[in-house]
């Protein structure tokens, strides 16, 4: 199905989330350069430069590799499912149907990524050789959101996205908006800035501070849920509540609540 300006929905569903990733993360790079926003950081610039175990150019290369592999899988997926989706592509969907598809896709993605993410922490081989790559970012930042080992990118993000698309029944056109939304949410969860009025941080308990806890040594066995809800963490006992406290020198720090520090 092609949109009015001649570009297929399938191509847009593949390319737009990648463009959105770099535009939205680029916005945070710009915001993070302002000294006036230093008081909204979860970590200082010095910590971002010194504590992380991978250089920013390497992160950019790693993300681009993952996005290239995801694009190939997306094109293959749209090709395989094209016959089924094209038949209904011109039929407008109600907002209720779209909302239902989005919610189903969100819960499918959350379930898949929670269990895959948690397993990669508990399996020593997978953690050491695959998932530890992402945790080289002790201090997360926006454009490092998709910095993963290619195998993890395939198992966690790409397959999780494919399942969300297939099980929700959404069209390629709807997927443009869903995967762009999921991309923005994932970037925001790694942005490292606690900004007043940020709707992702207001509406979602699973946000940048929640995920920052997971990137710290004390929280590495908690807060596996991503990217939308905290349901699986709560149900399965891996939920670590936190408090945001003012950090000496400016900014905030996410700290576990007292009743979790000794657990």
């Amino acid at each position: 199905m092609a949109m009015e300006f001649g570009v297929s929905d399938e191509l847009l569903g593949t390319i737009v989330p990648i463009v959105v990733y770099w535009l939205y993360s680029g916005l945070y790079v710009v915001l993070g350069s302002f000294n006036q926003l230093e008081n909204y950081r979860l970590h200082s610039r010095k910590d971002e430069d010194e504590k992380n175990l991978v250089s920013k150019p390497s992160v950019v290369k790693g993300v681009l590799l993952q996005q290239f592999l995801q694009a190939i899988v997306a094109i293959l997926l749209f090709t395989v499912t094209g016959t089924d989706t094209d038949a209904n592509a011109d039929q407008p969907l109600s907002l209720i149907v779209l909302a239902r598809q989005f919610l189903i896709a969100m819960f499918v993605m959350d379930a898949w990524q929670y269990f895959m993410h948690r397993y990669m922490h508990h399996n020593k081989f997978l953690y050491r050789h695959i998932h530890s790559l992402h945790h080289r970012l002790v201090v997360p930042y926006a454009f490092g959101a998709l910095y993963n080992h290619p195998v993890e990118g395939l198992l966690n993000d790409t397959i999780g996205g494919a399942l969300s698309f297939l099980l929700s029944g959404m069209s390629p056109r709807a997927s443009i908006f869903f995967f762009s939304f999921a991309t923005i949410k994932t970037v925001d969860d790694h942005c490292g800035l606690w900004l007043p009025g940020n709707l992702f941080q207001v509406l979602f308990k699973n946000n940048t501070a929640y995920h920052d806890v997971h990137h710290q040594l004390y929280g590495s066995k908690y807060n596996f849920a991503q990217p939308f809800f905290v349901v699986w963490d709560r149900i399965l006992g891996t939920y670590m509540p936190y408090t945001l406290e003012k950090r000496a020198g400016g900014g905030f720090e996410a700290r576990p609540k007292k009743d979790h520090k000794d657990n």
Side-chain angles (χ1 to χ4, degrees):
M1 170 64 184
M3 297 190 80
E4 291 181 1
F5 45 84
V7 181
S8 70
D9 294 341
E10 290 82 1
L11 182 59
L12 288 172
T14 303
I15 300 301
V16 169
I18 296 175
V19 174
V20 166
Y21 181 91
W22 292 108
L23 287 176
Y24 195 65
S25 62
L27 173 63
Y28 272 115
V29 171
V30 173
L31 291 175
S33 68
F34 292 133
N35 292 330
Q36 296 92 327
L37 296 182
E38 195 69 23
N39 288 331
Y40 299 101
R41 281 179 167 269
L42 295 181
H43 299 271
S44 67
R45 293 185 192 179
K46 182 180 179 181
D47 284 348
E48 183 178 303
D49 293 333
E50 295 181 358
K51 290 187 176 181
N52 286 332
L53 306 176
V54 60
S55 69
K56 289 181 178 179
S58 295
V59 169
V60 171
K61 292 177 184 176
V63 172
L64 288 173
L65 174 60
Q66 175 164 327
Q67 290 176 328
F68 174 73
L69 296 174
Q70 284 181 331
I72 293 174
V73 173
I75 291 170
L76 291 173
L77 179 64
F78 286 137
T79 300
V80 170
T81 62
T83 302
D84 296 329
T85 56
D86 283 348
N88 299 317
D90 292 326
Q91 298 179 7
L93 295 177
S94 69
L95 290 178
I96 294 177
V97 172
L98 285 172
R100 186 189 70 218
Q101 291 177 343
F102 268 50
L103 284 173
I104 292 172
M106 290 167 75
F107 279 106
V108 170
M109 183 176 286
D110 261 27
W112 178 265
Q113 293 204 7
Y114 174 85
F115 288 103
M116 186 60 66
H117 185 191
R118 184 173 179 179
Y119 184 66
M120 285 189 174
H121 272 269
H122 286 273
N123 184 297
K124 293 182 180 179
F125 177 85
L126 290 178
Y127 184 81
R128 183 180 301 114
H129 296 285
I130 295 178
H131 187 57
S132 63
L133 196 73
H134 183 68
H135 280 272
R136 290 180 183 177
L137 292 176
V138 179
V139 177
Y141 49 79
F143 66 86
L146 289 183
Y147 177 67
N148 298 308
H149 190 286
V151 172
E152 178 177 358
L154 176 64
L155 293 176
N156 199 10
D157 299 322
T158 307
I159 294 179
L163 289 172
S164 299
F165 172 75
L166 293 171
L167 295 179
S168 67
M170 69 175 58
S171 67
R173 183 170 296 183
S175 77
I176 299 169
F177 300 98
F178 174 73
F179 288 118
S180 295
F181 171 65
T183 295
I184 291 173
K185 179 65 172 63
T186 301
V187 169
D188 209 89
D189 289 348
H190 291 80
C191 72
L193 286 172
W194 190 259
L195 296 175
N198 184 322
L199 290 179
F200 288 114
Q201 296 167 6
V202 172
L203 299 177
F204 290 90
K205 289 184 178 295
N206 195 334
N207 51 44
T208 187
Y210 186 84
H211 192 65
D212 185 76
V213 168
H214 175 73
H215 272 259
Q216 308 313 309
L217 183 61
Y218 62 78
S220 62
K221 294 182 179 179
Y222 297 91
N223 295 9
F224 296 111
Q226 57 185 48
F228 299 113
F229 309 113
V230 301
V231 175
W232 291 109
D233 276 324
R234 285 188 176 276
I235 292 174
L236 297 176
T238 53
Y239 176 78
M240 177 177 277
Y242 63 89
T243 59
L244 273 179
E245 302 179 13
K246 290 289 183 69
R247 177 164 38 84
F252 296 100
E253 182 178 357
R255 295 181 179 178
K257 289 188 175 179
K258 292 182 179 179
D259 56 347
H260 275 72
K261 287 184 178 179
D262 298 325
N263 289 348

